[in-house]
Amino acid sequence: MLERGEGAHSPSICTPLVGKDRKELLTELAEILLKKPDIIEWRLDFYEEIQDINSVLSAAKDIYENSERTPILLTVRSQKEGGQPISLSEKEVVAVLAEVCKHPYVAIIDFEVSNQPEHIRYLRKISKENKKKLVLSYHNFSFTPPKAEIFKSLFLAEFYGADAAKAAVMPQNNQDVLTLLEATREAEKELSIPLITMSMGGLGAISRIVGWMYGSSVTFAVGKSSSAPGQVPIDELRKIIQLTKKVTDPENYHSHQIGSI
């Protein structure tokens, strides 16, 4: 589900669940499951009743019971990092994530590494106590920062004891995409936890296809609806990744070359 290793395996494919109510969530979930993702991310910031913890828990239970054992990643993306506007404060978001952690409904939670250190430490404690994995993430929907800043966010996630570090940035040109991939490759050699990285938008779509070759362990794809720009439909993404693995396999390349002589 979350593993390390530059180019060692195909990435896990995660698809977003963005329904605004329980009916939409379950309809969307049924369509997504037909495409067999490895992980499903429930973007709770899209949920209309996010402020009602009983409604959140009830919806989480419904998703869990109908997910065919697909691991659920729970995310409340903040508006400053590309999420939907919500009425909850950061402290209230922490309380929601902590409460859901106490139940078997989710396997992983996502929290932004830019949040208050005391909130990060508290969620790390609660998630560990309830045997949930913690992804600490960084998103920049405006531009791609220097490689050193991407490094900083990834290393900070490890410093806080996260189970995985995530960085998603927006490119302005092709060089920005290379910056993200180079940062991933170099960070993978230094960090001891799995990385999840991507360059967003149309320019960055290639990073969702080849990021695993540089050390990214998870890529995000469209199951029914997109949660970020540049996500590729899951069926197409899986085929392209499989083809990429085939043509970049040294044994396949060697056999092809010999057969062409």
Side-chain angles (χ1 to χ4, degrees), residues 220-231:
F220 287 73
V222 178
K224 183 177 186 295
S225 302
S226 173
S227 63
Q231 290 178 353

Side-chain angles (χ1 to χ4, degrees), residues 204-218:
I206 187 66
S207 71
R208 299 180 184 276
I209 296 168
V210 302
W212 60 273
M213 298 177 69
Y214 293 80
S216 182
S217 63
V218 177

Side-chain angles (χ1 to χ4, degrees), residues 220-249:
F220 287 73
V222 178
K224 183 177 186 295
S225 302
S226 173
S227 63
Q231 290 178 353
V232 180
I234 184 172
D235 292 334
E236 294 179 20
L237 181 62
R238 185 177 282 122
K239 289 177 182 178
I240 296 170
I241 289 174
Q242 290 172 348
L243 178 60
T244 303
K245 286 181 68 68
K246 181 177 180 180
V247 299
T248 57
D249 186 318

